[in-house]
Amino acid sequence: MIWLIGCKGMLGSEIARQLEENKIDFVGTDRDVDFTNSQACEDFVKDKQIDFIINCAAYTAVDKAESDFDMAEKLNVQGPAVIAALSKKIGATLIHISTDYVFDGTAASPLSEEMSVSPLGVYGKTKAAGEKAVIENTDKYYILRTAWLYGWAGKNFVYTMIRAMNMRDSVSVVNDQKGSPTFAGDLAKVILTIIDKGNVEYGIYHCTDLGEITWWDFTNEIKKQAAECGLIQNPNCIVTPCTTKEYPTPAKRPAYSVLSKDKIQKALDLKLPDWKDSLHIFLSGQLFDKSRIEK
């Protein structure tokens, strides 16, 4: 059986959907089980045969984390430590989700799993510490670093930009931060593939969709494809490029966070999808939530 922690979040809900679709036995929890409390977690699993734990729960409010360190640390460090220790105790394998924010963005070519982490802000620092907590507390783990995640459930950049373009004559988007968008459906498929194969070497893996773009590039493609899907009410909205300095935020973002996917593609013997193809699947899918783009 699989224990899916954070089953109601953007990624967790997609993993749950795919587990159900593939008739894979799992139990999902959200705030009903405190994954930062070791006793609560032990009580939850004591009558269950758990083979895999998938941890999608995290503090992901990047800017808010700058002034909310204690909660970010609790969810991003303490929680993973508890779950990793429990995984080892019951003999389960842990799949833990991490982020490109563990890097400082000074690289000029895709980042490999072996590169040293150097996070810029509280979110990245706590996620890096969470990775360390996992490694120190269990041997059977997969840490999957992803980036620019969006999915059908919950708030995300794609929904936000379409709504903004439907409400305004222009939107400004940074064009000096490079990365790779990731559709939650693709990451969920990778997770299920790891579980299904059963012989993938433990360790850290990078997993995003293929491509290297800026947020401005991403927004322009969102506008183009969303218009083709009839989701743009204001096709004359102008997408204006701006610099990070012109759009200050409480937390610093990595300027370059493209992750190398060579290791995960080789380990699973697959090719990850191109980000444009996955964006089309997202926008045209029946699960696309139109209420999130309405004025």
Side-chain angles (χ1 to χ4, degrees):
M1 178 184 283
I2 297 167
W3 177 16
L4 175 59
I5 301 174
C7 68
K8 293 183 179 179
M10 182 168 61
L11 176 59
S13 62
E14 176 60 24
I15 294 173
R17 188 188 70 79
Q18 291 193 24
L19 288 170
E20 290 173 353
E21 191 176 73
N22 287 278
K23 296 180 171 56
I24 298 172
D25 192 23
F26 79 101
V27 58
T29 61
D30 197 66
R31 296 186 179 184
D32 47 321
V33 176
D34 183 0
F35 79 110
T36 69
N37 184 301
S38 57
Q39 188 59 56
C41 291
E42 288 195 23
D43 289 344
F44 179 75
V45 303
K46 66 182 179 182
D47 59 346
K48 301 175 181 67
Q49 181 59 51
I50 304 295
D51 302 303
F52 282 88
I53 298 177
I54 305 173
N55 180 31
C56 296
Y59 189 108
T60 58
V62 176
D63 289 322
K64 189 178 178 182
E66 293 299 305
S67 57
D68 195 13
F69 178 81
D70 289 346
M71 184 57 69
E73 184 178 47
K74 181 179 181 180
L75 297 180
N76 293 347
V77 186
Q78 183 179 328
V82 166
I83 294 302
L86 179 63
S87 297
K88 186 172 184 178
K89 185 175 182 178
I90 66 175
T93 295
L94 175 61
I95 299 176
H96 176 69
I97 309 302
S98 193
T99 173
D100 58 324
Y101 275 66
V102 299
F103 297 109
D104 63 11
T106 59
S109 58
L111 296 140
S112 73
E113 291 82 353
E114 291 72 32
M115 291 183 176
S116 299
V117 300
S118 182
L120 298 173
V122 169
Y123 170 66
K125 289 175 181 177
T126 56
K127 289 297 288 183
E131 291 184 2
K132 185 178 180 183
V134 167
I135 294 168
E136 290 177 346
N137 282 282
T138 186
D139 301 319
K140 297 167 62 177
Y141 66 85
Y142 299 102
I143 294 172
L144 300 183
R145 292 179 183 146
T146 192
W148 297 23
L149 192 65
Y150 66 94
W152 285 310
K155 297 178 181 178
N156 61 65
F157 184 79
V158 183
Y159 282 140
T160 298
M161 286 297 100
I162 295 174
R163 185 172 186 271
M165 286 185 278
N166 281 336
M167 294 178 65
R168 306 175 197 167
D169 293 328
S170 67
V171 293
S172 295
V173 187
V174 294
N175 70 337
D176 56 359
Q177 295 175 23
K178 284 188 176 182
S180 305
T182 310
F183 174 42
D186 297 331
L187 181 55
K189 285 180 183 177
V190 165
I191 291 170
L192 266 63
T193 301
I194 289 173
I195 293 171
D196 182 60
K197 285 183 76 73
N199 61 349
V200 182
E201 183 179 356
Y202 296 122
I204 298 174
Y205 291 87
H206 290 169
C207 184
T208 70
D209 289 334
L210 300 180
E212 179 176 325
I213 60 168
T214 68
W215 289 107
W216 183 73
D217 297 325
F218 193 18
T219 305
N220 277 294
E221 186 64 22
I222 291 169
K223 179 184 176 182
K224 174 179 175 291
Q225 290 200 25
E228 292 170 351
C229 292
L231 301 171
I232 295 291
Q233 300 167 10
N234 182 20
N236 295 321
C237 178
I238 299 170
V239 182
T240 305
C242 68
T243 65
T244 298
K245 183 178 284 190
E246 292 173 314
Y247 190 79
T249 55
K252 291 182 179 179
R253 267 73 171 167
Y256 184 91
S257 63
V258 179
L259 303 176
S260 171
K261 277 73 71 173
D262 293 345
K263 182 179 177 182
I264 190 83
Q265 292 186 120
K266 183 177 180 181
L268 301 183
D269 190 25
L270 57 73
K271 183 176 181 181
L272 292 164
D274 181 85
W275 71 272
K276 288 185 180 181
D277 295 335
S278 292
L279 178 62
H280 174 72
I281 291 171
F282 171 76
L283 294 172
S284 61
Q286 292 184 346
L287 294 175
F288 184 89
D289 187 354
K290 291 185 179 180
S291 70
R292 296 187 179 276
I293 64 172
E294 294 172 352
K295 295 180 181 180

